[in-house]
Amino acid sequence: MTLALGCIADDYTGASDLANTLTRAGLRTVQTIGVPADDLALPEVDAVVVSLKSRSIEAGLAVSRSRAAETWLRGRGARHVLFKICSTFDSTDAGNIGPVMDALRADCGEAVVLVTPAFPETGRTVYQGNLFVGAVPLNESPLKDHPLNPMHDSNLVRVLARQSGTQTGLVDLATVARGAEAVRARLAELAGKGIGAAIIDAVFDRDLETIGLVAAEHRLSVGASGIGLGLARALVSTGRVKAAATSDAGAPVGGLAACLAGSCSQATLQQIANAERIMPVLHLDPDRIIAGADEVQRALGWAAPRLAEGPVLIASSSTPDQVAALQARHGRDAAGHAIEQATADIAESLVKSGVRRLIVAGGETSGAVVDRLKIPGFLVGVEIAAGVPVLRAVGAESDMLLALKSGNFGGAEFFSDALRLMR
Ligand SMILES: Nc1ncnc2c1ncn2[C@@H]1O[C@H](COP(=O)(O)OP(=O)(O)O)[C@@H](O)[C@H]1O
Ligand SMILES: O=C(O)[C@@H](O)C(=O)COP(=O)(O)O
């Protein structure tokens, strides 16, 4: 297998979002959980997205895990590696976007790395280096209240400069609009000044196509699904990949269905509220989880009689005020970790009792659940909402369908939309 594109994603929902985008653009794609074991039977593919849970861990660990993934991908022929980050640039001043980018850049000797989280299909656009979420700048969006990485600065040139050892420059929209040659010239100018990273503006998919053409000539890029779209279209339009039809990875599995939510995003809170109309919903008590009380057992006892009747939803999600109060009592990381592990405990028991269709809301939450279920990889099925495909587990103990929903993605009826497509 010689890969046309290698990808390293810093969380599992982000990885499935990217795998979805690449698949829809015609690349045969598989999502692996971590660096695949040698005995994992992978189909013949054009792109592999290695999913890491490295967004919110210590920067040194994120670097070493990303480097291991890079070595594996380049060893399978990937000339270009895309480091997939969140379309809302989720990170802190300690990393991990800057440190991982610096390490991968040093490994491949790239002069200037193109960086853009733009993903217009989901309302993420970048103008003059400022990230917009829908109509508002990042720092005014719900991301200002993210439980793990609240985003308070929408100027990505500044945000990345605080995290990276290299200087950060800008390729503005006017340059992108002039086409690939103008972008190449601007990158050469930045490289001449010793600037090693460039935030590049993008508002429409056509901007990402220009960016993809240029990025594909390089060894490394950093961004969200939008630049993945640009790269995939460039690989197809230049004949390096023959566009494939989408597979039937979402064929029915039957079995019980359940939903778990650990995301506290505004979108997820609305989706949970709407789900109350169509299925039983249990709201976990986060204080009881952290206190180590038997909240997991309570949830399982609640779910057992209801599952045979139809899908259920179990959520730890709370409003920003409640999240802040909980974190003040217990600490941010301790609270997040305890809740993720409790959600994983619940997922493990649900699967033991016959759940084969599982929907998880939240990136870190999905990471904890998928790790616990020891699923080595996924094939991409139909799209439920922009950035969220139906996934079929490969190499797992049971044949299962999953959906890993980024906190901010999906329409107001996401849970019923997903269940309709996961049979
Ligand atoms: N009620 C709560 N209070 C505080 N933190 C919570 C609560 N519920 C879940 N969390 C934690 O918040 C984080 C949500 O992150 P994540 O799952 O990545 O969601 P998103 O995709 O919205 O970013 C996780 O670490 C999760 O355990
Ligand atoms: O790019 C995106 O927005 C998503 O693919 C993503 O990474 C989402 O992360 P979470 O919101 O933490 O799920």
Side-chain angles (χ1 to χ4, degrees):
M1 172 169 62
T2 301
L3 295 178
L5 181 65
C7 307
I8 304 167
D10 68 353
D11 83 345
Y12 296 7
T13 44
S16 69
D17 163 21
L18 176 62
N20 178 54
T21 296
L22 300 180
T23 302
R24 314 251 154 260
L27 269 55
R28 295 165 304 167
T29 306
V30 70
Q31 174 183 353
T32 68
I33 301 303
V35 174
D38 289 340
D39 62 352
L40 178 65
L42 290 178
E44 192 61 30
V45 286
D46 305 305
V48 170
V49 183
V50 175
S51 330
L52 301 179
K53 195 174 183 297
S54 58
R55 188 175 290 174
S56 306
I57 61 177
E58 190 269 316
L61 208 51
V63 165
S64 59
R65 290 185 184 163
S66 303
R67 276 191 152 140
E70 181 200 23
T71 304
W72 188 90
L73 290 164
R74 298 230 190 256
R76 264 99 200 135
R79 226 202 123 260
H80 188 92
V81 169
L82 166 61
F83 173 40
K84 161 70 176 68
I85 57 161
C86 191
S87 65
T88 46
F89 219 77
D90 292 21
S91 54
T92 68
D93 288 351
N96 289 336
I97 298 173
V100 172
M101 176 190 75
D102 289 350
L104 300 183
R105 173 173 172 255
D107 289 348
C108 66
E110 189 74 87
V112 192
V113 183
L114 281 173
V115 182
T116 185
F119 188 18
E121 202 185 339
T122 55
R124 276 58 155 169
T125 56
V126 182
Y127 181 63
Q128 298 295 351
N130 291 278
L131 175 57
F132 290 82
V133 178
V136 295
L138 176 66
N139 63 310
E140 292 174 26
S141 78
L143 271 296
K144 69 184 187 323
D145 299 315
H146 191 278
L148 303 178
N149 44 259
M151 302 303 291
H152 296 306
D153 188 356
S154 52
N155 184 314
L156 301 183
V157 177
R158 280 197 305 250
V159 174
L160 187 58
R162 287 197 292 268
Q163 298 178 24
S164 165
T166 182
Q167 290 182 72
T168 305
L170 174 69
V171 182
D172 67 11
L173 193 64
T175 306
V176 176
R178 285 203 300 278
E181 206 41 61
V183 173
R184 290 185 193 106
R186 173 65 178 153
L187 290 179
E189 186 187 337
L190 293 174
K193 293 181 182 158
I195 294 173
I199 300 291
I200 183 158
D201 285 351
V203 173
F204 299 107
D205 282 357
R206 65 167 179 268
D207 303 325
L208 292 157
E209 286 175 1
T210 302
I211 294 169
L213 275 174
V214 179
E217 298 158 5
H218 288 245
R219 301 264 291 155
L220 175 68
S221 56
V222 176
S225 263
I227 195 167
L229 178 81
L231 281 162
R233 288 196 179 159
L235 291 170
V236 172
S237 70
T238 56
R240 277 172 280 180
V241 170
K242 198 168 153 296
T246 50
S247 73
D248 188 25
V253 294
L256 305 176
C259 312
L260 298 171
S263 163
C264 299
S265 75
Q266 213 174 71
T268 303
L269 294 176
Q270 183 63 56
Q271 290 156 353
I272 294 169
N274 288 10
E276 307 245 14
R277 293 202 303 263
I278 56 156
M279 69 180 103
V281 176
L282 177 72
H283 293 273
L284 296 168
D285 179 337
D287 275 305
R288 276 173 57 91
I289 290 175
I290 295 163
D294 52 354
E295 190 64 353
V296 169
Q297 288 313 319
R298 183 175 81 91
L300 294 172
W302 173 89
R306 291 173 172 84
L307 272 170
E309 306 298 318
V312 301
L313 167 58
I314 300 174
S316 66
S317 320
S318 318
T319 60
D321 287 352
Q322 292 166 323
V323 169
L326 188 88
Q327 292 181 337
R329 290 196 290 280
H330 303 284
R332 185 189 70 172
D333 292 344
H337 181 75
I339 297 171
E340 287 169 31
Q341 289 311 309
T343 311
D345 290 343
I346 294 170
E348 188 178 17
S349 295
L350 290 178
V351 171
K352 278 192 185 128
S353 33
V355 168
R356 294 289 175 271
R357 294 172 287 145
L358 186 63
I359 299 163
V360 189
E364 297 296 325
T365 309
S366 295
V369 166
V370 169
D371 281 351
R372 183 65 68 81
L373 298 179
K374 296 194 174 63
I375 298 174
F378 295 108
L379 296 174
V380 178
V382 295
E383 185 177 71
I384 303 164
V388 196
V390 173
L391 297 171
R392 177 167 227 110
V394 285
E397 266 176 31
S398 321
D399 193 15
M400 280 190 74
L401 293 181
L402 285 93
L404 308 179
K405 189 195 82 75
S406 154
N408 297 294
F409 285 176
E413 306 298 337
F414 176 79
F415 291 106
S416 57
D417 293 345
L419 287 164
R420 203 173 321 112
L421 294 171
M422 295 167 68
R423 297 273 169 200

